[in-house]
Amino acid sequence: MALFEARHLHKRFADQVVLEDITLSFEENQISGIMGPNGAGKTTCFNVLTGRYRPDRGTVFFDGKDITGLPPRKIARHGIARSFQMMNLFDEYTALENIVLALPEVSARGFSMTHNLAHDVDAQDRGAAVLARIGLGGREHTPASDLSYGQRRALEIGIALAAEPRMLFLDEPTSGLGTDATATLATLIQEIRKSVTIVIIEHDMKFLFDLADRIAVIHWGQVIAQGTPETLRENEWVRTSNLGALA
Amino acid sequence: MTETPLLHVDQVHKTYTQGVLNKRVTFDLQADFTIEKPGIVGVMGPNGSGKTTLFELITGSNNPTSGQVRVCGQDIHQVRSDQRDRLAIHYHQSYQVRHFRKRRPNFMLQPSSTDYPKVHLFDEPQFNTQDGYIGFMLDFFRRLREESRLVVLCVHPNEPFHLRIMQEICESFIFVQKGRLTQAPDFNTLLQNPDVTAYLGELVGSQAA
């Protein structure tokens, strides 16, 4: 059984069909991609997989356990982290502070008057290690607001990684990034894949074709195609359209 | 006994009127056709000709003034409204979804006889040559058809390649104009209809070239 499995997911918003019979599985230590045109249901699918929405029908299994309909915080506790399409940082805090606040022992304790984080050398060391992993070593004391767009995106991934998840979901990680920042992000993802199973939602086909081991194409809330990038590239229209020339 | 047709639109009339005392008909849709077997059917017609209304009547979200729609033998308007999309499913054009008043509560209605829709109605899918998704979309239509489902593809062609896609994928056609339907068993028969060539205009010439 795959690490993460979704079976026959259905989701409706009133009369609008958003997900229709989605079945997906993500293997451990792989990068899986979900792509599709705008409005195809990618983000809704993502939100159902990560517990933000409850499916109307269907089940979601993680590591053999049924996690269907669990609230996001409980799903996170199972070792599933996600990033958001919108930036989710504390702008006035430094890069290191953003990470330290996301460390499991710190967030579990909540706000504490008696515990001074400034003297928690252990937490700071661990935060610095995460920053080094995401290529922000040396930027520990830079406020998040002073980081470039690409670095902020990396910091977001760092926050998700601070919880040491087994599985990481990334929602449109390249959105708003230029060519250089996208290339840096691809390198970062190649680096962190060694320790975490990754699912990427993306409408940029090129980015996914280079990174993912397996890709599911979603449209009309359904999986309309899936396979390795090589098999998907064999599609005549993919070859003849602009993407074919690029890929 | 013959097999139950997948879709039977039985003398369906939908009349929209304006005014209370002095009723005036503003739009009138008449449809009467049967599709026996799985296949891919292309629906074309100008904007405002009744294509989306026809889809709404088939999925049961909109109610006909008279007549009946049978999907796999079941009168769609007698099926629980939350299970109608297990028979016929309408993929709306982006977010253009109209809502209708439900006439009867679900406990008075029948459950759907299937769990997965048999009739798939695609309302103006966006075909964009800039990306490779068209290929996956066409593969998907063919896969549904192989799984013995009926695919109805509604397109208002703007580009020559839209027409090429329709010619390549559709086995039969329905032309809708001013609330009236004309069936054509294949693409060539469709093009023999002077209303169709008038509607398609230049697209036909450039498509042949």
Side-chain angles (χ1 to χ4, degrees):
Chain A
M1 188 175 174
L3 180 63
F4 191 103
E5 284 198 17
R7 295 180 200 150
H8 305 293
L9 295 179
H10 291 252
K11 182 73 190 167
R12 302 279 185 271
F13 292 126
D15 288 342
Q16 175 92 347
V17 174
V18 187
L19 296 183
E20 171 66 30
D21 208 46
I22 291 256
T23 295
L24 289 169
S25 63
F26 308 124
E27 296 288 341
E28 190 153 21
N29 298 323
Q30 282 201 343
I31 297 182
S32 306
I34 296 176
M35 67 180 194
N38 288 328
K42 297 190 296 293
T43 296
T44 305
C45 178
F46 197 77
N47 281 332
V48 170
L49 295 179
T50 54
R52 216 127 168 250
Y53 299 148
R54 199 193 166 89
D56 297 330
R57 281 195 277 165
T59 46
V60 182
F61 282 89
F62 177 65
D63 197 18
K65 288 185 281 285
D66 187 347
I67 58 166
T68 320
L70 288 184
R73 62 192 158 83
K74 289 205 173 149
I75 288 188
R77 221 169 287 158
H78 275 91
I80 299 176
R82 66 167 288 181
S83 76
F84 290 85
Q85 219 169 324
M86 298 291 183
M87 290 284 187
N88 226 12
L89 301 174
F90 296 113
D91 272 346
E92 276 131 60
Y93 285 27
T94 65
L96 181 63
E97 285 165 342
N98 267 288
I99 298 281
V100 166
L101 286 173
L103 290 171
E105 70 270 19
V106 176
S107 60
R109 196 163 54 220
F111 179 74
S112 161
M113 294 285 278
T114 54
H115 188 89
N116 191 342
L117 271 178
H119 297 129
D120 191 336
V121 180
D122 184 48
Q124 294 196 21
D125 283 351
R126 294 185 47 202
V130 173
L131 282 178
R133 251 177 101 195
I134 57 169
L136 290 183
R139 307 305 298 265
E140 284 84 355
H141 303 296
T142 310
S145 55
D146 291 354
L147 294 173
S148 75
Y149 208 73
Q151 289 171 327
R152 287 167 63 87
R153 184 61 45 81
L155 185 56
E156 269 222 313
I157 293 175
I159 288 172
L161 286 177
E164 289 170 13
R166 286 182 67 190
M167 190 147 188
L168 176 62
F169 284 85
L170 300 174
D171 190 6
E172 302 255 350
T174 69
S175 74
L177 296 188
T179 333
D180 290 350
T182 303
T184 313
L185 181 70
T187 318
L188 166 61
I189 291 173
Q190 289 288 13
E191 177 57 35
I192 62 174
R193 71 168 299 175
K194 292 168 191 160
S195 58
V196 62
T197 303
I198 300 173
V199 179
I200 306 173
I201 300 236
E202 191 53 72
H203 78 269
D204 180 347
M205 274 194 185
K206 171 87 173 69
F207 182 76
L208 266 192
F209 274 13
D210 290 347
L211 268 182
D213 299 301
R214 272 189 78 79
I215 296 173
V217 184
I218 290 191
H219 197 6
W220 300 298
Q222 304 183 50
V223 180
I224 63 169
Q226 59 182 327
T228 61
E230 291 73 38
T231 55
L232 293 182
R233 271 205 192 99
E234 283 165 17
N235 186 296
E236 188 197 344
W237 282 86
V238 173
R239 276 191 286 113
T240 52
S241 64
N242 277 0
L243 178 97
L246 288 169
Chain B
M1 191 187 130
T2 52
E3 262 182 81
T4 318
L6 262 177
L7 175 64
H8 185 191
V9 177
D10 187 7
Q11 301 195 22
V12 166
H13 286 234
K14 177 72 188 179
T15 313
Y16 287 102
T17 54
Q18 210 172 44
V20 182
L21 296 174
N22 206 346
K23 282 198 176 167
R24 215 157 38 82
V25 173
T26 50
F27 183 76
D28 166 53
L29 177 76
Q30 294 186 15
D32 183 47
F33 63 92
T34 307
I35 296 171
E36 301 277 348
K37 290 191 168 56
I40 304 179
V41 180
V43 175
M44 288 194 252
N47 288 326
S49 59
K51 302 188 297 281
T52 297
T53 304
L54 177 67
F55 279 12
E56 288 168 349
L57 291 166
I58 293 173
T59 56
S61 69
N62 198 343
N63 296 300
T65 312
S66 67
Q68 218 179 48
V69 174
R70 292 190 165 272
V71 181
C72 305
Q74 270 190 297
D75 181 346
I76 195 81
H77 294 92
Q78 298 301 320
V79 174
R80 292 171 56 105
S81 56
D82 61 347
Q83 292 187 6
R84 285 175 192 169
D85 58 19
R86 298 186 193 185
L87 285 162
I89 188 165
H90 187 172
Y91 304 95
H92 290 89
Q93 181 186 358
S94 59
Y95 295 99
Q96 191 199 63
V97 187
R98 294 203 289 174
H99 295 281
F100 300 92
R101 200 163 55 87
K102 309 269 188 273
R103 284 196 167 168
R104 278 202 284 163
N106 279 332
F107 72 85
M108 294 174 71
L109 299 167
Q110 310 159 358
S112 160
S113 59
T114 69
D115 222 22
Y116 191 78
K118 293 288 185 196
V119 178
H120 295 249
L121 306 154
F122 293 90
D123 205 341
E124 304 220 359
Q126 296 300 305
F127 294 121
N128 183 356
T129 43
Q130 297 304 304
D131 55 36
Y133 290 119
I134 294 178
F136 300 133
M137 288 153 86
L138 299 185
D139 283 352
F140 180 57
F141 299 145
R142 292 194 183 101
R143 195 173 83 211
L144 289 174
R145 191 220 182 286
E146 278 163 27
E147 291 170 359
S148 299
R149 306 180 208 284
L150 173 64
V151 175
V152 184
L153 198 55
C154 163
V155 168
H156 174 63
N158 298 314
E159 303 279 346
F161 79 90
H162 290 159
L163 211 52
R164 211 181 86 214
I165 288 175
M166 294 299 273
Q167 179 178 14
E168 184 181 316
I169 194 102
C170 298
E171 296 152 289
S172 69
F173 294 86
I174 294 175
F175 180 63
V176 189
Q177 195 167 44
K178 293 178 184 159
R180 298 294 180 274
L181 277 65
T182 318
Q183 278 183 283
D186 55 58
F187 193 72
N188 289 332
T189 319
L190 178 77
L191 289 192
Q192 280 161 21
N193 184 337
D195 287 341
V196 174
T197 42
Y199 157 66
L200 293 174
E202 292 171 0
L203 292 180
V204 182
S206 51
Q207 193 259 340

